[in-house]
Amino acid sequence: NKNLVVIGSGINPVKFFPRRTYFNNMDCVGWFTISSGASGSRFYGIEFNNFLFENNPSNILLENCAISGQFNLNGNATTNLNLKNCVFYSQNGINFNFGNNIISNVLIQNCIFSGYIEGNNDIFISALIDHCIFLGGNTFSQLQFVVISNSIFMNAFPSGVSNCTFTNNICRV
């Protein structure tokens, strides 16, 4: 039951022959799993294949990280999740999955998504998606009660939402 602070080399180190920090295939099916015992953990500059929550962790920060697969809350109640300057590049797939539970105080800020965000029709989400770029045609699926602001949507209008608030967004189609 300890929080972690993991500092990697960054997702785009400016060096000849850069060495990157990968967390890849941490269990049998390729997920890096974090549980409630690691609440308060922070990750900087790490590349993950897949990121999975178990047993309701809280106060998690990912900054300047990359996720090549899926970030999945896995139906766990989660509070105070902060994703800053992250890149999600599972093309045309689920980049972020809220799961089905009480999700509160989620801030997704300055991130790039090449796939979409899955909400699972969860009505207990309290989240802000701010200053993000969405590159894919599908941006959201079954997402409700989320505030999306100051973001850029490329190649499509945002779809797959209900009861969401959009403020100061730009669409390029």
Side-chain angles (χ1 to χ4, degrees):
N1 288 343
K2 297 284 184 181
N3 61 343
L4 301 170
V5 176
V6 182
I7 301 172
S9 59
I11 57 175
N12 193 15
V14 182
K15 293 182 175 185
F16 290 109
F17 308 110
R19 293 184 180 179
R20 294 184 172 159
T21 308
Y22 291 102
F23 282 20
N24 193 8
N25 298 325
M26 300 303 288
D27 64 8
C28 296
V29 292
W31 292 90
F32 176 78
T33 304
I34 191 166
S35 65
S36 60
S39 289
S41 294
R42 299 182 304 262
F43 300 90
Y44 302 94
I46 308 290
E47 293 190 40
F48 297 95
N49 183 20
N50 291 296
F51 200 106
L52 181 69
F53 275 34
E54 284 189 353
N55 302 322
N56 309 323
S58 62
N59 302 314
I60 304 297
L61 168 69
L62 273 74
E63 189 168 344
N64 299 320
C65 291
I67 291 107
S68 63
Q70 184 181 136
F71 191 100
N72 193 336
L73 299 183
N74 197 30
N76 286 276
T78 302
T79 60
N80 301 323
L81 170 63
N82 195 341
L83 304 174
K84 290 183 178 180
N85 304 319
C86 293
V87 177
F88 296 83
Y89 57 93
S90 173
Q91 293 185 356
N92 299 318
I94 298 174
N95 286 164
F96 187 95
N97 190 341
F98 274 105
N100 287 312
N101 212 318
I102 298 172
I103 313 295
S104 62
N105 297 325
V106 174
L107 174 61
I108 302 172
Q109 187 175 33
N110 301 320
C111 293
I112 299 172
F113 294 90
S114 63
Y116 64 94
I117 296 176
E118 174 64 54
N120 296 303
N121 281 322
D122 191 347
I123 61 171
F124 300 106
I125 297 175
S126 168
L128 170 63
I129 300 170
D130 187 49
H131 286 91
C132 292
I133 298 174
F134 295 88
L135 301 174
N138 294 328
T139 51
F140 305 109
S141 174
Q142 302 175 357
L143 188 64
Q144 296 191 56
F145 303 105
V146 172
V147 176
I148 301 117
S149 65
N150 304 307
S151 294
I152 299 172
F153 297 90
M154 302 292 293
N155 305 319
F157 291 105
S159 61
V161 297
S162 61
N163 302 311
C164 288
T165 302
F166 287 86
T167 307
N168 299 325
N169 296 295
I170 296 173
C171 297
R172 181 199 174 271
V173 291

